[in-house]
Structures are given as structure tokens and as C-alpha cells.
Amino acid sequence: MSMLIVCPGKDPENWVKALENQHPGLNIYVYPEDHDKEEVEFALTWNHPRGLFKNYPNLKVIASMGAGVDHITQDPGLPEDVKITRIVDEMISEDMSDYVLSQVMNHIRGLHEYTKMQQEKKWDRFQYKRPKDTKIGIMGLGVLGNAVADKLNKNGFQIYGWSKTEKTCDNVTSFHGKDQLDEFLENSEILVCLLPLTKDTENILNANLFDRLPEGAYVINAARGQHLVEHDLMEMIDNGHLSGASLDVFREEPLPEEHPFWEHSKINITPHIASLTNPNSVVAQIVENYERMKEEEPLKNKIELDKGY
């Protein structure tokens, strides 16, 4: 019985060391090194090659290295009956909350504009907004959405939330379903996307949705690049309906050098760093699920494959 690590483009060394420290004697293979595919029952992965896992006849569990699982669920070649798990970690939630708060504050205080003015040696001032006067709408009220809502609420913002199904979140005015989406958007001066990526949420950040936001609204996407229709965003910024955007995720990563986002003065770019998984922080839950698999016990943080999250 072995564990396989598959993370093309990432250095797996820290994961291997953390797993060995947590579970001495665990037999670990790192793709694409030579190994016996029949031995592998548990895979730990991020952005595996599509169709890879159908070559493992005894695979029982595929564990994501992060909070997202769309990089797994969108593979049409997954083995039948395989279970998929995700990471739930306080450090990831805290880091995401800090990221969103920093982008919100950057926007309402105009710090991005002042950075550009410094480069132009331009001395000017403009009025800023205060947290208590700012309405923030969060799309997605899962673990990360709740953490972000709590952080923003503690900093004095008015918080609104929207999810596919009804959810209750402390200090959040919550909406759910398509029928309540318009009312949610009307109260979103800053829109934060933290939705899981599914067939229903792909391309949800589009011109039709942007048009229902208040004039001058600002968009923060820290979920997945496939949520956003890029042309629609730029068009709505350029026509003045949106004031700008902060983007941490993109359809193609790294963002190609020729992409127009790089040169857009009202789009703030970060390279998918809103929250990074620390192997030492999460390895215990991975090993616990490995042991649960061996004992045929229920797995922790298992996703519902039909929902995609």
C-alpha cells in the first residue's frame, strides 16, 4: 500500500518531508518516478495530468493539496467510485481573509491609485470611503467565505452573502438561489467571489451579472479564473460601470505576457497567492484520511462529487 504525490510544476520535497515526519515508514512515490501502479491506493495531487488516475486499478482516494478540488473533478477520466477530499485548514482561511481585507482596504483608500501617482511624481488627493459606509457582497459562504465574512465584519464593513442554497452566517445578511441574486448584487459595492468552480458557477462573473451591481462597484476574484469572463470585465470597467478589479486567479496561469490585464490601469494582479497551503500545517489531516482509508472508516473533508464541492 502506497501514497502517490502528483504535482507537476511544484516542488514536492516539502510534502514528502512533512509526510515522512508525520508517518515514518509510509511508502511514498512521486510522479513521474518509476513505481508500481497496483500498489497505489491514495493519491495526493495538484493539477495532475488528465486521465492519469485511470491507470491505477486500486486507487481509492484522491486528496487535493488545497481547498479547491476542481482540478480533480474536471478530469473526465477519473476512476469510478474514487473518493475525493479537500484541505480544510485554519491557516488557509486566515490567509484568504487577510488577502481579501487587504484588497478591500487598498480599494477604498485608493492605495493602488497612489502607487501609480508616485511613479508619475504626481501629488494629489481624493476622498476615501470608510469601512462602516461600505457594503461588501461575498459570493460563496463555505469555509473560506465564512472566514472572510467574519474578518470583514470585525473590521466594520457591512456584509452581504450569497450561496446556492440557504446558509446562515453570523453578522451577514444572507441570500441564496437565483431568485435572491439580484437583491444581493444591489447591495454589493465590492463583490468578492469565493465560489467553488462547478458547471453552474463557471463564467458567472459576466456582463449580465456586472450590470446588476451598483455603478462604480469593484470586483475581487480569489476563487478560480474560470469564474470570470475576462472580456466582459474589461468592457464594464472601460465603460465606467465598474471602478476596477483585483484578480488573484486566471484562466491561464502564469498569466501570459501578452494578456491585456497586465497593462490595464484599473486591474490589480496578484499571482494566485491569496492563500497558499503549508504542508506542515495540513499533513496531519492527510495522514489521518490515509489511515481512515485503510480502516475503511469515513473520510474527513470528503466532497460530494455530484455537487463538485
PDB file of all heavy atoms in Angstrom, residues 115-139:
ATOM      1  N   THR A 115      -0.058  54.527  -5.764  1.00  0.00           N
ATOM      2  CA  THR A 115       1.155  53.881  -6.274  1.00  0.00           C
ATOM      3  C   THR A 115       1.458  54.356  -7.692  1.00  0.00           C
ATOM      4  O   THR A 115       2.617  54.664  -8.023  1.00  0.00           O
ATOM      5  CB  THR A 115       0.993  52.351  -6.248  1.00  0.00           C
ATOM      6  OG1 THR A 115       0.797  51.916  -4.905  1.00  0.00           O
ATOM      7  CG2 THR A 115       2.232  51.664  -6.812  1.00  0.00           C
ATOM      8  N   LYS A 116       0.419  54.427  -8.514  1.00  0.00           N
ATOM      9  CA  LYS A 116       0.613  54.924  -9.880  1.00  0.00           C
ATOM     10  C   LYS A 116       1.023  56.397  -9.872  1.00  0.00           C
ATOM     11  O   LYS A 116       1.891  56.813 -10.660  1.00  0.00           O
ATOM     12  CB  LYS A 116      -0.672  54.747 -10.694  1.00  0.00           C
ATOM     13  CG  LYS A 116      -1.014  53.295 -11.002  1.00  0.00           C
ATOM     14  CD  LYS A 116      -2.202  53.196 -11.944  1.00  0.00           C
ATOM     15  CE  LYS A 116      -3.445  53.765 -11.307  1.00  0.00           C
ATOM     16  NZ  LYS A 116      -4.639  53.645 -12.179  1.00  0.00           N
ATOM     17  N   MET A 117       0.430  57.191  -8.976  1.00  0.00           N
ATOM     18  CA  MET A 117       0.761  58.613  -8.902  1.00  0.00           C
ATOM     19  C   MET A 117       2.210  58.814  -8.484  1.00  0.00           C
ATOM     20  O   MET A 117       2.886  59.739  -8.948  1.00  0.00           O
ATOM     21  CB  MET A 117      -0.190  59.306  -7.933  1.00  0.00           C
ATOM     22  CG  MET A 117      -1.605  59.461  -8.497  1.00  0.00           C
ATOM     23  SD  MET A 117      -2.855  59.865  -7.241  1.00  0.00           S
ATOM     24  CE  MET A 117      -2.147  61.294  -6.465  1.00  0.00           C
ATOM     25  N   GLN A 118       2.722  57.933  -7.605  1.00  0.00           N
ATOM     26  CA  GLN A 118       4.117  58.031  -7.204  1.00  0.00           C
ATOM     27  C   GLN A 118       5.040  57.827  -8.404  1.00  0.00           C
ATOM     28  O   GLN A 118       6.042  58.536  -8.576  1.00  0.00           O
ATOM     29  CB  GLN A 118       4.440  56.997  -6.128  1.00  0.00           C
ATOM     30  CG  GLN A 118       5.905  57.022  -5.689  1.00  0.00           C
ATOM     31  CD  GLN A 118       6.208  55.998  -4.618  1.00  0.00           C
ATOM     32  OE1 GLN A 118       5.305  55.439  -4.005  1.00  0.00           O
ATOM     33  NE2 GLN A 118       7.483  55.728  -4.395  1.00  0.00           N
ATOM     34  N   GLN A 119       4.702  56.848  -9.237  1.00  0.00           N
ATOM     35  CA  GLN A 119       5.515  56.587 -10.425  1.00  0.00           C
ATOM     36  C   GLN A 119       5.511  57.779 -11.384  1.00  0.00           C
ATOM     37  O   GLN A 119       6.478  58.018 -12.093  1.00  0.00           O
ATOM     38  CB  GLN A 119       4.991  55.330 -11.134  1.00  0.00           C
ATOM     39  CG  GLN A 119       5.142  54.060 -10.297  1.00  0.00           C
ATOM     40  CD  GLN A 119       4.389  52.885 -10.870  1.00  0.00           C
ATOM     41  OE1 GLN A 119       3.579  53.029 -11.786  1.00  0.00           O
ATOM     42  NE2 GLN A 119       4.650  51.697 -10.337  1.00  0.00           N
ATOM     43  N   GLU A 120       4.398  58.526 -11.369  1.00  0.00           N
ATOM     44  CA  GLU A 120       4.276  59.704 -12.229  1.00  0.00           C
ATOM     45  C   GLU A 120       4.744  60.980 -11.534  1.00  0.00           C
ATOM     46  O   GLU A 120       4.666  62.062 -12.118  1.00  0.00           O
ATOM     47  CB  GLU A 120       2.820  59.855 -12.668  1.00  0.00           C
ATOM     48  CG  GLU A 120       2.275  58.667 -13.459  1.00  0.00           C
ATOM     49  CD  GLU A 120       0.758  58.725 -13.589  1.00  0.00           C
ATOM     50  OE1 GLU A 120       0.147  59.690 -13.051  1.00  0.00           O
ATOM     51  OE2 GLU A 120       0.177  57.819 -14.208  1.00  0.00           O
ATOM     52  N   LYS A 121       5.210  60.860 -10.282  1.00  0.00           N
ATOM     53  CA  LYS A 121       5.608  62.008  -9.462  1.00  0.00           C
ATOM     54  C   LYS A 121       4.489  63.041  -9.399  1.00  0.00           C
ATOM     55  O   LYS A 121       4.703  64.246  -9.516  1.00  0.00           O
ATOM     56  CB  LYS A 121       6.893  62.639 -10.016  1.00  0.00           C
ATOM     57  CG  LYS A 121       8.078  61.677 -10.008  1.00  0.00           C
ATOM     58  CD  LYS A 121       9.341  62.316 -10.554  1.00  0.00           C
ATOM     59  CE  LYS A 121      10.491  61.324 -10.542  1.00  0.00           C
ATOM     60  NZ  LYS A 121      11.731  61.905 -11.103  1.00  0.00           N
ATOM     61  N   LYS A 122       3.301  62.535  -9.159  1.00  0.00           N
ATOM     62  CA  LYS A 122       2.102  63.367  -9.128  1.00  0.00           C
ATOM     63  C   LYS A 122       1.575  63.443  -7.702  1.00  0.00           C
ATOM     64  O   LYS A 122       1.335  62.423  -7.059  1.00  0.00           O
ATOM     65  CB  LYS A 122       1.041  62.781 -10.060  1.00  0.00           C
ATOM     66  CG  LYS A 122      -0.250  63.567 -10.116  1.00  0.00           C
ATOM     67  CD  LYS A 122      -1.233  62.881 -11.067  1.00  0.00           C
ATOM     68  CE  LYS A 122      -2.560  63.626 -11.117  1.00  0.00           C
ATOM     69  NZ  LYS A 122      -3.522  62.950 -12.023  1.00  0.00           N
ATOM     70  N   TRP A 123       1.385  64.673  -7.208  1.00  0.00           N
ATOM     71  CA  TRP A 123       0.893  64.892  -5.848  1.00  0.00           C
ATOM     72  C   TRP A 123      -0.572  65.329  -5.922  1.00  0.00           C
ATOM     73  O   TRP A 123      -0.885  66.408  -6.399  1.00  0.00           O
ATOM     74  CB  TRP A 123       1.734  65.959  -5.163  1.00  0.00           C
ATOM     75  CG  TRP A 123       1.362  66.206  -3.720  1.00  0.00           C
ATOM     76  CD1 TRP A 123       0.369  67.017  -3.256  1.00  0.00           C
ATOM     77  CD2 TRP A 123       1.986  65.639  -2.573  1.00  0.00           C
ATOM     78  NE1 TRP A 123       0.322  66.991  -1.891  1.00  0.00           N
ATOM     79  CE2 TRP A 123       1.321  66.154  -1.433  1.00  0.00           C
ATOM     80  CE3 TRP A 123       3.049  64.756  -2.386  1.00  0.00           C
ATOM     81  CZ2 TRP A 123       1.675  65.805  -0.127  1.00  0.00           C
ATOM     82  CZ3 TRP A 123       3.395  64.420  -1.079  1.00  0.00           C
ATOM     83  CH2 TRP A 123       2.719  64.935   0.026  1.00  0.00           C
ATOM     84  N   ASP A 124      -1.453  64.456  -5.445  1.00  0.00           N
ATOM     85  CA  ASP A 124      -2.882  64.772  -5.489  1.00  0.00           C
ATOM     86  C   ASP A 124      -3.572  63.976  -4.388  1.00  0.00           C
ATOM     87  O   ASP A 124      -3.009  63.020  -3.845  1.00  0.00           O
ATOM     88  CB  ASP A 124      -3.472  64.424  -6.860  1.00  0.00           C
ATOM     89  CG  ASP A 124      -4.806  65.129  -7.094  1.00  0.00           C
ATOM     90  OD1 ASP A 124      -5.232  65.913  -6.219  1.00  0.00           O
ATOM     91  OD2 ASP A 124      -5.403  64.884  -8.150  1.00  0.00           O
ATOM     92  N   ARG A 125      -4.779  64.374  -4.055  1.00  0.00           N
ATOM     93  CA  ARG A 125      -5.549  63.683  -3.019  1.00  0.00           C
ATOM     94  C   ARG A 125      -6.985  63.515  -3.492  1.00  0.00           C
ATOM     95  O   ARG A 125      -7.492  64.311  -4.271  1.00  0.00           O
ATOM     96  CB  ARG A 125      -5.541  64.478  -1.711  1.00  0.00           C
ATOM     97  CG  ARG A 125      -4.177  64.652  -1.092  1.00  0.00           C
ATOM     98  CD  ARG A 125      -4.243  65.643   0.051  1.00  0.00           C
ATOM     99  NE  ARG A 125      -2.941  65.830   0.695  1.00  0.00           N
ATOM    100  CZ  ARG A 125      -2.667  66.814   1.535  1.00  0.00           C
ATOM    101  NH1 ARG A 125      -3.606  67.711   1.831  1.00  0.00           N
ATOM    102  NH2 ARG A 125      -1.469  66.908   2.077  1.00  0.00           N
ATOM    103  N   PHE A 126      -7.630  62.475  -2.985  1.00  0.00           N
ATOM    104  CA  PHE A 126      -9.052  62.291  -3.281  1.00  0.00           C
ATOM    105  C   PHE A 126      -9.724  61.640  -2.083  1.00  0.00           C
ATOM    106  O   PHE A 126      -9.069  61.033  -1.229  1.00  0.00           O
ATOM    107  CB  PHE A 126      -9.261  61.461  -4.558  1.00  0.00           C
ATOM    108  CG  PHE A 126      -8.431  60.216  -4.640  1.00  0.00           C
ATOM    109  CD1 PHE A 126      -8.848  59.038  -4.046  1.00  0.00           C
ATOM    110  CD2 PHE A 126      -7.211  60.223  -5.313  1.00  0.00           C
ATOM    111  CE1 PHE A 126      -8.092  57.887  -4.128  1.00  0.00           C
ATOM    112  CE2 PHE A 126      -6.440  59.073  -5.400  1.00  0.00           C
ATOM    113  CZ  PHE A 126      -6.879  57.903  -4.802  1.00  0.00           C
ATOM    114  N   GLN A 127     -11.029  61.773  -2.031  1.00  0.00           N
ATOM    115  CA  GLN A 127     -11.795  61.294  -0.884  1.00  0.00           C
ATOM    116  C   GLN A 127     -11.824  59.770  -0.839  1.00  0.00           C
ATOM    117  O   GLN A 127     -11.903  59.113  -1.872  1.00  0.00           O
ATOM    118  CB  GLN A 127     -13.231  61.821  -0.938  1.00  0.00           C
ATOM    119  CG  GLN A 127     -14.051  61.540   0.320  1.00  0.00           C
ATOM    120  CD  GLN A 127     -13.421  62.147   1.568  1.00  0.00           C
ATOM    121  OE1 GLN A 127     -13.093  63.329   1.597  1.00  0.00           O
ATOM    122  NE2 GLN A 127     -13.247  61.331   2.602  1.00  0.00           N
ATOM    123  N   TYR A 128     -11.728  59.224   0.353  1.00  0.00           N
ATOM    124  CA  TYR A 128     -11.806  57.772   0.519  1.00  0.00           C
ATOM    125  C   TYR A 128     -13.071  57.396   1.273  1.00  0.00           C
ATOM    126  O   TYR A 128     -13.744  58.235   1.870  1.00  0.00           O
ATOM    127  CB  TYR A 128     -10.580  57.238   1.262  1.00  0.00           C
ATOM    128  CG  TYR A 128     -10.294  57.931   2.577  1.00  0.00           C
ATOM    129  CD1 TYR A 128     -10.987  57.595   3.734  1.00  0.00           C
ATOM    130  CD2 TYR A 128      -9.304  58.923   2.662  1.00  0.00           C
ATOM    131  CE1 TYR A 128     -10.717  58.216   4.939  1.00  0.00           C
ATOM    132  CE2 TYR A 128      -9.025  59.547   3.860  1.00  0.00           C
ATOM    133  CZ  TYR A 128      -9.730  59.203   4.997  1.00  0.00           C
ATOM    134  OH  TYR A 128      -9.466  59.818   6.181  1.00  0.00           O
ATOM    135  N   LYS A 129     -13.414  56.082   1.219  1.00  0.00           N
ATOM    136  CA  LYS A 129     -14.563  55.566   1.957  1.00  0.00           C
ATOM    137  C   LYS A 129     -14.087  54.915   3.250  1.00  0.00           C
ATOM    138  O   LYS A 129     -12.941  54.465   3.356  1.00  0.00           O
ATOM    139  CB  LYS A 129     -15.332  54.533   1.127  1.00  0.00           C
ATOM    140  CG  LYS A 129     -16.042  55.114  -0.085  1.00  0.00           C
ATOM    141  CD  LYS A 129     -17.008  54.106  -0.687  1.00  0.00           C
ATOM    142  CE  LYS A 129     -18.196  53.861   0.231  1.00  0.00           C
ATOM    143  NZ  LYS A 129     -19.227  53.001  -0.402  1.00  0.00           N
ATOM    144  N   ARG A 130     -14.993  54.861   4.205  1.00  0.00           N
ATOM    145  CA  ARG A 130     -14.684  54.200   5.471  1.00  0.00           C
ATOM    146  C   ARG A 130     -15.407  52.856   5.522  1.00  0.00           C
ATOM    147  O   ARG A 130     -16.436  52.675   4.885  1.00  0.00           O
ATOM    148  CB  ARG A 130     -15.095  55.087   6.645  1.00  0.00           C
ATOM    149  CG  ARG A 130     -14.449  56.470   6.585  1.00  0.00           C
ATOM    150  CD  ARG A 130     -14.748  57.278   7.829  1.00  0.00           C
ATOM    151  NE  ARG A 130     -14.053  56.748   8.992  1.00  0.00           N
ATOM    152  CZ  ARG A 130     -14.632  56.519  10.174  1.00  0.00           C
ATOM    153  NH1 ARG A 130     -15.920  56.749  10.333  1.00  0.00           N
ATOM    154  NH2 ARG A 130     -13.930  56.060  11.178  1.00  0.00           N
ATOM    155  N   PRO A 131     -14.870  51.889   6.279  1.00  0.00           N
ATOM    156  CA  PRO A 131     -15.496  50.559   6.330  1.00  0.00           C
ATOM    157  C   PRO A 131     -16.984  50.581   6.672  1.00  0.00           C
ATOM    158  O   PRO A 131     -17.777  49.877   6.037  1.00  0.00           O
ATOM    159  CB  PRO A 131     -14.681  49.833   7.407  1.00  0.00           C
ATOM    160  CG  PRO A 131     -13.319  50.440   7.293  1.00  0.00           C
ATOM    161  CD  PRO A 131     -13.582  51.907   7.000  1.00  0.00           C
ATOM    162  N   LYS A 132     -17.376  51.395   7.653  1.00  0.00           N
ATOM    163  CA  LYS A 132     -18.778  51.372   8.081  1.00  0.00           C
ATOM    164  C   LYS A 132     -19.739  51.865   6.999  1.00  0.00           C
ATOM    165  O   LYS A 132     -20.933  51.612   7.063  1.00  0.00           O
ATOM    166  CB  LYS A 132     -18.952  52.216   9.350  1.00  0.00           C
ATOM    167  CG  LYS A 132     -18.811  53.707   9.164  1.00  0.00           C
ATOM    168  CD  LYS A 132     -18.988  54.444  10.484  1.00  0.00           C
ATOM    169  CE  LYS A 132     -18.942  55.951  10.317  1.00  0.00           C
ATOM    170  NZ  LYS A 132     -20.074  56.462   9.520  1.00  0.00           N
ATOM    171  N   ASP A 133     -19.196  52.527   6.000  1.00  0.00           N
ATOM    172  CA  ASP A 133     -20.021  53.035   4.907  1.00  0.00           C
ATOM    173  C   ASP A 133     -19.911  52.182   3.645  1.00  0.00           C
ATOM    174  O   ASP A 133     -20.378  52.575   2.574  1.00  0.00           O
ATOM    175  CB  ASP A 133     -19.611  54.473   4.567  1.00  0.00           C
ATOM    176  CG  ASP A 133     -19.763  55.409   5.754  1.00  0.00           C
ATOM    177  OD1 ASP A 133     -20.771  55.286   6.476  1.00  0.00           O
ATOM    178  OD2 ASP A 133     -18.853  56.248   5.964  1.00  0.00           O
ATOM    179  N   THR A 134     -19.317  51.012   3.760  1.00  0.00           N
ATOM    180  CA  THR A 134     -19.032  50.181   2.592  1.00  0.00           C
ATOM    181  C   THR A 134     -19.754  48.842   2.689  1.00  0.00           C
ATOM    182  O   THR A 134     -19.623  48.121   3.684  1.00  0.00           O
ATOM    183  CB  THR A 134     -17.515  49.921   2.473  1.00  0.00           C
ATOM    184  OG1 THR A 134     -16.817  51.177   2.453  1.00  0.00           O
ATOM    185  CG2 THR A 134     -17.200  49.160   1.201  1.00  0.00           C
ATOM    186  N   LYS A 135     -20.503  48.521   1.643  1.00  0.00           N
ATOM    187  CA  LYS A 135     -21.224  47.252   1.558  1.00  0.00           C
ATOM    188  C   LYS A 135     -20.421  46.257   0.718  1.00  0.00           C
ATOM    189  O   LYS A 135     -20.076  46.544  -0.423  1.00  0.00           O
ATOM    190  CB  LYS A 135     -22.601  47.451   0.931  1.00  0.00           C
ATOM    191  CG  LYS A 135     -23.530  48.358   1.720  1.00  0.00           C
ATOM    192  CD  LYS A 135     -24.864  48.510   1.001  1.00  0.00           C
ATOM    193  CE  LYS A 135     -25.823  49.386   1.789  1.00  0.00           C
ATOM    194  NZ  LYS A 135     -27.129  49.531   1.067  1.00  0.00           N
ATOM    195  N   ILE A 136     -20.165  45.089   1.305  1.00  0.00           N
ATOM    196  CA  ILE A 136     -19.402  44.058   0.607  1.00  0.00           C
ATOM    197  C   ILE A 136     -20.261  42.818   0.426  1.00  0.00           C
ATOM    198  O   ILE A 136     -20.871  42.323   1.376  1.00  0.00           O
ATOM    199  CB  ILE A 136     -18.130  43.686   1.385  1.00  0.00           C
ATOM    200  CG1 ILE A 136     -17.235  44.920   1.540  1.00  0.00           C
ATOM    201  CG2 ILE A 136     -17.369  42.561   0.674  1.00  0.00           C
ATOM    202  CD1 ILE A 136     -15.962  44.656   2.310  1.00  0.00           C
ATOM    203  N   GLY A 137     -20.322  42.328  -0.800  1.00  0.00           N
ATOM    204  CA  GLY A 137     -21.054  41.106  -1.099  1.00  0.00           C
ATOM    205  C   GLY A 137     -20.090  39.954  -1.339  1.00  0.00           C
ATOM    206  O   GLY A 137     -19.163  40.066  -2.136  1.00  0.00           O
ATOM    207  N   ILE A 138     -20.301  38.851  -0.639  1.00  0.00           N
ATOM    208  CA  ILE A 138     -19.448  37.676  -0.778  1.00  0.00           C
ATOM    209  C   ILE A 138     -20.233  36.568  -1.461  1.00  0.00           C
ATOM    210  O   ILE A 138     -21.259  36.112  -0.942  1.00  0.00           O
ATOM    211  CB  ILE A 138     -18.942  37.187   0.592  1.00  0.00           C
ATOM    212  CG1 ILE A 138     -18.127  38.285   1.287  1.00  0.00           C
ATOM    213  CG2 ILE A 138     -18.099  35.921   0.442  1.00  0.00           C
ATOM    214  CD1 ILE A 138     -17.739  37.953   2.722  1.00  0.00           C
ATOM    215  N   MET A 139     -19.767  36.142  -2.619  1.00  0.00           N
ATOM    216  CA  MET A 139     -20.380  35.014  -3.325  1.00  0.00           C
ATOM    217  C   MET A 139     -19.675  33.736  -2.895  1.00  0.00           C
ATOM    218  O   MET A 139     -18.504  33.536  -3.185  1.00  0.00           O
ATOM    219  CB  MET A 139     -20.262  35.194  -4.841  1.00  0.00           C
ATOM    220  CG  MET A 139     -20.958  36.418  -5.383  1.00  0.00           C
ATOM    221  SD  MET A 139     -20.952  36.475  -7.201  1.00  0.00           S
ATOM    222  CE  MET A 139     -22.319  35.342  -7.539  1.00  0.00           C
TER     223      MET A 139
END
